[in-house]
């Protein structure tokens, strides 16, 4: 109801709009970045219970509290972004957020190789990575949707589908990670963040 220009709902027109949107490299790379960013939460939801409950021996209630804490990290970052975007450009926030994600995913590898498995080595880097995700997610989403103001419905639908498919794929791959060690999970985070950063720098951030 917020789009003044009415778009035809004929199948041919819908297919044409989808082709136009998906052929835009900035939009496509942006939604892949969103899917990879959301995957940082998915990896924890899939691998976390095995690491925390099965390997470390905590109960499901304790894991639920940790999951809530991780959710607070994302919420607090998106809430903070609301104020930061008024004084810092969205492009800068996205770059800073991705830079922090790379640093913290590297820190996760250091923790995995240098320290014994504990609740602190499992949760601390994840908290920081997901906080950083909260700084980039709303800004990339708004940029992607702003590319097609006259096709907002189609752009929103495709964004949701691509993010869901990316999250699904990550969930399947994360289920294959071994839970006896933090190393596979740390590498999983590192590759997801690295791929997201490469897409952002090489495609999305080029006007």
């Amino acid at each position: 109801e917020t789009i003044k220009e009415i778009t035809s709902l004929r199948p041919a027109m819908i297919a044409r709009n989808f082709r136009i949107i998906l052929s835009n490299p900035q939009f496509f790379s942006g939604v892949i970045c969103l899917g990879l960013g959301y995957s940082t939460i998915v990896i924890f939801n899939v691998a976390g219970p095995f690491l925390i409950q099965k390997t470390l021996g905590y109960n499901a209630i304790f894991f639920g509290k940790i999951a809530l804490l991780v959710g607070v990290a994302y919420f607090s970052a998106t809430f903070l972004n609301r104020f930061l975007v008024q004084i810092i450009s969205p492009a800068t926030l996205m770059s800073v957020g991705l830079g922090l994600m790379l640093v913290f995913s590297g820190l996760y590898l250091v923790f995995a190789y240098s320290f014994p498995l504990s609740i602190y080595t499992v949760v601390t880097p994840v908290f920081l990575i997901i906080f950083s995700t909260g700084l980039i997610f709303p800004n990339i989403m708004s940029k992607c949707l702003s590319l097609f103001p006259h096709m907002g419905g189609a752009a929103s639908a495709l964004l949701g589908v691509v993010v869901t498919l990316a999250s699904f794929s990550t969930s399947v791959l994360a289920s294959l990670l071994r839970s006896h060690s933090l190393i596979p999970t740390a590498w999983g985070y590192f590759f997801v963040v690295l791929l997201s950063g490469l897409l952002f720098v090489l495609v999305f951030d080029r006007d």
Side-chain angles (χ1 to χ4, degrees), residues 90-162:
T92 300
L93 283 174
M94 287 185 282
S95 298
V96 170
L98 276 168
L100 290 174
M101 288 176 71
L102 284 169
V103 170
F104 295 142
S105 61
L107 180 66
Y108 211 172
L109 285 172
V110 173
F111 277 26
Y113 281 101
S114 303
F115 300 100
L117 183 64
S118 70
I119 191 64
Y120 300 104
T121 57
V122 171
V123 176
T124 303
V126 171
F127 183 93
L128 295 172
I129 290 170
I130 292 178
F131 178 87
S132 304
T133 300
L135 292 177
I136 67 170
F137 199 96
N139 294 303
I140 293 182
M141 177 182 289
S142 62
K143 177 62 177 180
C144 288
L145 296 179
S146 69
L147 295 173
F148 302 96
H150 58 295
M151 294 186 286
S156 297
L158 284 175
L159 186 148
V161 169
V162 175

Side-chain angles (χ1 to χ4, degrees), residues 2 158 196:
T2 59
L158 284 175
S196 180

